[in-house]
Amino acid sequence: MAIARAGTAVGRCDQDRTMSIMALPKIGYAGMTHLGLCSAIGASSKGFDTLGFDTDPALVARIDAGKLPVVEPDLDDLLRDNRVRMSFSADPKALLGCDVVYVAPDVPTDDTGGSDLSGLDGLLALVLANTRPDAVVVVLSQVPPGFTAARQRSGRLLYYQVETLVFGRAVERTTKPERFIVGAPDPSEPLPLAMQQYLEAYGCPILPMRFESAELTKISINCCLVASVTVANTLAELCERIGADWSEIAPALKLDRRIGAYSYLSPGLGLAGGNLERDLATVVRFSEEYGTEASVIRAFIGNSAHRKDWALRTMHEAVLNKVPQATIGVLGLAYKENTHSVKNSPSLALIRYLGPWALKVYDPVVPASAALHPNASGAASALDAAEGVDVLAIMTPWPEFKLLSCDDLAATMRGRTVLDPYRVLNPAAARRAGLDYRTLGVA
Amino acid sequence: MLSHQFSTPTAPGRVVVVGAGGFVGSTLVKQLGLAKVPVLGLTRKEVDLLADDGAKRLRGVLRPDDGVVFVSAVAPAKTAGQMMTNLRMAEAACAAFAAVQPAHLLYISSDAVYADNANPVTERSPVAPSTTHGMMHAARELMLRSEYRGPLAFLRPTLIFGAGDPHSGYGPNRFRRQAANGEPITIFGEGEEKRDHVAVEDVARLAVRILLHRSVGVLNAVTGVATSFHDIANIVAAQFSPRAEVKSVPRPGPRPHLLHRFFDITDLHKSFPDFHFEPLADGLARVHQESSVR
């Protein structure tokens, strides 16, 4: 294990408390959100007694009964295997038993990417009021630079930690993080023992830094991701016009050490999920406040908005301007595969502007009612959603959609056009089946 | 992008078209008639906005429940003098709109307000006109924003074609006139510049929708399809028998640095999902037929 900065083990905890903590600290997570719940179950899998706290008693009761409100591969199994160390409560006093409490509510964003921090502030105040003075309180939600420093209070141990949740890969990310990034009041001081003991259990580097650096590290990571995504999206669109194929180009870039094997180079429908856009909006807002130059960040935002509408534009161009009474099939409502979340879903963004047409929709997890479309009917299967439609859009790359036979689709659909931005189907097989196959990054 | 105050089409009590005698205004009056919307068309004969009593006369006609389309202009505004004439007309109109505050105001502007841009132009592209014509429209938009506090929409058409076009600007209208006169159709250089062209009827149909939804904001009246002048000339040439000659002539000045101007029409798909433009070839064929009948 690599620890970025050596320090003494005890920190600010008294000796008696230290002896108790050495046994193993109890970890609390406040806010049973996607982030909080997955992180809490991950903590229990590392051998720590863990409390999941939320102010919603109904939510806590459902989770306590094993009915998880989020869809993540292997998460149910992980909870079942570690149930003996996990408890859930809606009583804030239960937090008094915790040595480290992570505050992890969702921070909603508005249409411009701005964060509403009022919920986080409320939960943070509740946690501080219901934890022992020596307990370490860690803000895990995404916050703008300056947030954590502004909430320091005398006599309390308040830290910030960068969250690394990835929807659809939450278990992997929470049990095998590549590093911990910790914002601290004084990074030259050792971390509180309980927190250090907990983080060391993951066997990855721990990078303490000042609060503002940690908060900006999260944004910096996302800006780098955005750069790769935007380069891929920009050049994929060019491929669609000039006869090149981005899937042939991307492997060449992956072999370039300056770009690397793990770069995000798959074209997609702009930036998805909202968190990347939140960070771009934060950088723009700070640049306006401090007069720094951020035109490239604005360009990222503009490019993302343009590519997000690829499906809408393509559908109009290929079908809707020729078939006024078209029926449209939509496969996938979740914002990405292996998750129940529809927040910032490209599928729902498309459906929002398909008001005049009849829709048939199918998602393996999300009910058709989530489409919020007056003329949408739910289908029993992916193939059922394709029956009789003039155009089919595969808007979420769920694994089960890969099993669709292009010949079956061609025989089932009324029209020929299939929009498959994520290349779920085999392009060659689709064309052999006589489909008018449209995807990103190739003409 | 537009936002609609009425999610379902709702006819205003009356639509007043200020500039009903013009190419766009007269087409709009016809389209409003087809949509069975009560309409009052004002030409310069009824209200001369350049006259001393122009503002007063317009104010006397307007009612607070009117939807108003301001399309009156002396076009093209190629000189500073013509631009100032148009601004004086807008000054009179603004005075009337400020006094009466009609329920909805639509201004027919122009895509000339946008900066030259190699990227696809959208409703969010920078307004930075490079001609007096564009500057005139941009200034009029600002004047209306400043003087009228009600729901305001701007429709920004690109190059408009139609049988009733009074001008002979470079493009389909001039090409048709040249061919009809038995002259060769002349294109500059190889006519390789690609531009978007929209039928006047489509501009008017969009204006009707904006009025029926009491829409607020900006919408480009553009098709999203850029076609070269070479291709347009040959489409027009083929409509005549015998086929008209297409002749390349030297450019009057340097080749435009912006060879292609594309528009991204996603906002239109979002504002009016079931609206579709007449394809250019169809529109040119229709115009040819209408012109032959005249």
Side-chain angles (χ1 to χ4, degrees), chain A residues 232-264:
Chain A
N233 281 335
T234 302
L235 293 168
E237 182 172 26
L238 194 56
C239 289
E240 292 158 26
R241 306 297 167 89
I242 69 168
D245 186 338
W246 181 250
S247 71
E248 296 168 350
I249 295 170
L253 302 184
K254 295 275 189 186
L255 289 172
D256 191 314
R257 290 178 194 277
R258 295 163 301 174
I259 300 167
Y262 302 105
S263 299
Y264 271 54

Side-chain angles (χ1 to χ4, degrees), chain A residues 134-172:
Chain A
D134 66 317
V136 185
V137 175
V138 187
V139 174
L140 190 61
S141 303
Q142 175 137 17
V143 295
F147 177 91
T148 319
R151 280 142 184 93
Q152 292 298 303
R153 52 180 73 183
S154 176
R156 292 308 306 255
L157 301 170
L158 183 59
Y159 287 75
Y160 167 73
Q161 187 174 311
V162 172
E163 58 95 352
T164 55
L165 180 78
V166 176
F167 279 56
R169 291 174 53 201
V171 168
E172 174 196 339

Side-chain angles (χ1 to χ4, degrees), chain A residues 306 309 313 316 320-321 353 356-357, chain B residues 1 120 264 266 269-270 273-274 276:
Chain A
H306 173 72
D309 290 320
R313 276 193 299 272
H316 271 276
L320 298 183
N321 64 353
Y353 296 106
W357 293 278
Chain B
M1 185 172 161
D264 176 347
T266 310
H269 294 324
K270 292 179 175 178
D274 57 343
H276 288 105

Side-chain angles (χ1 to χ4, degrees), chain A residues 27 29 32 36-37 39-45 48-53 63-64 78-79 82-88:
Chain A
I27 312 299
Y29 278 86
M32 287 294 91
L37 180 62
S39 301
I41 296 172
S44 71
S45 78
F48 295 89
D49 281 342
T50 307
L51 168 71
F53 166 78
I63 296 172
D64 203 28
L78 194 67
L79 175 59
N82 298 283
R83 194 68 178 82
V84 66
R85 284 183 294 279
M86 278 269 12
S87 60
F88 298 96

